[in-house]
Amino acid sequence: MRVNRTLLSAALVVVALVLQVSVLSRLQLPGAVPDLLLLTVLGLALVYGHLAGAFIGFGAGLLADLAPPADHAAGQYALVLCVIGYLAGLARPENGKLKSATGPMLVVVAAALASTLLYAGVGALVGDSPVRHVGLGDLLFTAAVYDLLLAPFTVPLIMALARRTENDPLSDSQNAGAGDVSSGWLASGTGLRIGSQRGGLRVKAARNRATRAGRIKGVKRL
């Protein structure tokens, strides 16, 4: 990823994780907890694509696994967000811009359901599943509702910030330099060079004429 993409992604993930741990997890809402970290990964993946979404999701999930008061196996949420980031990035349009809010909202609902199922499935494999405390149906319903309510206030802002990093100044300067070099190369290889060749031919022709005139004058004098 580009440098500015990496810096923005890291900053947004850290802010989302801090808010997730210090605010959202303490609301004591029934069922699931609003997942701001998931929404951050979705917003970035919808702009940067599936590969960047997978990397960002893995990093964000790993931070969540290690941040206190994490009570699950390390790497569990990293795997979930890695898969979700990759799949969400596949829904990215070619120009990185979405024409309506329907697509992102559907992605949010699908991601909330899929992340809950994956988290419960991975937890069941390692013997640490939240389903034993809350029913899976309640978790799926509340996760979808909470994330859907929080998404309009977060996902568009994250996507707008991510689009700004598409105008990478380092990349732009390199492209501009390449354009100047190529234009100069084309100019030096075509018009300018031809012009210099024409000028040289004219000077040479004038010298030849002057030489001939001098010879003719010398002959007449003799």
Side-chain angles (χ1 to χ4, degrees):
M1 292 188 296
R2 298 174 181 174
V3 175
N4 53 356
R5 284 187 180 186
T6 304
L7 294 177
L8 177 64
S9 301
L12 291 177
V13 166
V14 170
V15 172
L17 181 60
V18 171
L19 293 176
Q20 181 81 30
V21 174
S22 61
V23 178
L24 297 178
S25 62
R26 299 183 180 182
L27 294 179
Q28 297 181 354
L29 297 174
V33 177
D35 199 340
L36 182 59
L37 201 59
L38 172 65
L39 297 178
T40 302
V41 173
L42 291 179
L44 294 173
L46 287 174
V47 177
Y48 294 153
H50 58 284
L51 291 179
F55 282 111
I56 295 171
F58 179 81
L62 187 60
L63 288 178
D65 290 333
L66 300 177
D71 57 352
H72 56 268
Q76 183 175 342
Y77 201 46
L79 176 61
V80 172
L81 285 187
C82 180
V83 175
I84 295 299
Y86 181 86
L87 295 178
L90 295 178
R92 172 186 179 272
E94 294 182 357
N95 57 358
K97 296 181 180 180
L98 299 170
K99 297 181 179 180
S100 66
T102 304
M105 293 301 102
L106 293 177
V107 172
V108 168
V109 174
L113 298 176
S115 63
T116 303
L117 289 174
L118 285 175
Y119 188 79
V122 175
L125 293 177
V126 298
D128 182 19
S129 177
V131 182
R132 61 187 181 186
H133 303 293
V134 182
L136 181 60
D138 293 338
L139 281 177
L140 292 173
F141 177 76
T142 54
V145 171
Y146 295 156
D147 292 345
L148 190 59
L149 292 176
L150 187 60
F153 304 99
T154 56
V155 176
L157 177 60
I158 293 170
M159 294 181 66
L161 293 174
R163 289 193 194 100
R164 293 179 65 89
T165 61
E166 291 297 293
N167 300 322
D168 192 346
L170 296 177
S171 178
D172 292 341
S173 62
Q174 291 175 357
N175 292 335
D180 295 338
V181 171
S182 62
S183 60
W185 179 78
L186 290 175
S188 62
T190 55
L192 295 179
R193 190 171 181 178
I194 292 175
S196 62
Q197 289 177 352
R198 289 177 179 175
L201 292 175
R202 290 177 182 176
V203 172
K204 187 175 182 180
R207 290 178 180 176
N208 291 334
R209 287 195 298 268
T211 302
R212 290 176 183 176
R215 289 177 180 177
I216 292 174
K217 289 182 180 179
V219 172
K220 288 181 178 181
R221 289 177 182 177
L222 293 176

